[in-house]
Amino acid sequence: MSQYSISKTRLFEGIWEGIVTAEKGVTEQPHLEPLFEEKPLDNLKLVEVGEGRWTLRIPIPAHILTDGVQTILIRDVLAQETLEVITIISGEPIAEDIRAEMDLLRAELDMLKRAFRRHCLETM
């Protein structure tokens, strides 16, 4: 299980930003990887802003911005766990596109799993 969590702060001028927070006592920088269609994206920037906290910046490549739903996963490489999901919806209405619905459901399921795990840890 990952020792890190990510909270989105904003998407501005094509750059997704968030805060990475480590569990108590963890000070080493996380090894994160943004994936689009199972391929890693370049130019991830991680800057330490305090002990156990980093600012994360991921430029969204222009080739991703197409009609439909696009999903980027941010994974903890060492724990092999998805920490955050970036969902971008653009273009024409996609009501008939079942793949778009599946992407949304997958992203929501990942968020629910992460929230449930956090809840279980907090109530132990």
Side-chain angles (χ1 to χ4, degrees), residues 6 18-20 29-32 43-49 53-57:
I6 300 175
I19 298 291
V20 180
Q29 182 170 320
H31 299 283
L32 303 177
N43 302 322
L44 173 139
K45 291 183 184 173
L46 201 55
V47 177
E48 188 169 13
V49 292
R53 289 176 49 93
W54 297 265
T55 298
L56 173 62
R57 295 174 55 106

Side-chain angles (χ1 to χ4, degrees), residues 34-84:
L35 297 172
F36 175 70
E37 296 180 346
E38 299 182 19
K39 296 177 189 144
L41 297 176
D42 295 328
N43 302 322
L44 173 139
K45 291 183 184 173
L46 201 55
V47 177
E48 188 169 13
V49 292
E51 190 172 318
R53 289 176 49 93
W54 297 265
T55 298
L56 173 62
R57 295 174 55 106
I58 301 171
I60 305 299
H63 74 273
I64 288 177
L65 302 176
T66 60
D67 286 345
V69 175
Q70 311 307 321
T71 304
I72 299 170
L73 304 176
I74 304 174
R75 296 193 40 89
D76 180 332
V77 175
L78 300 178
Q80 289 296 303
E81 183 177 340
T82 299
L83 299 179
E84 185 63 57

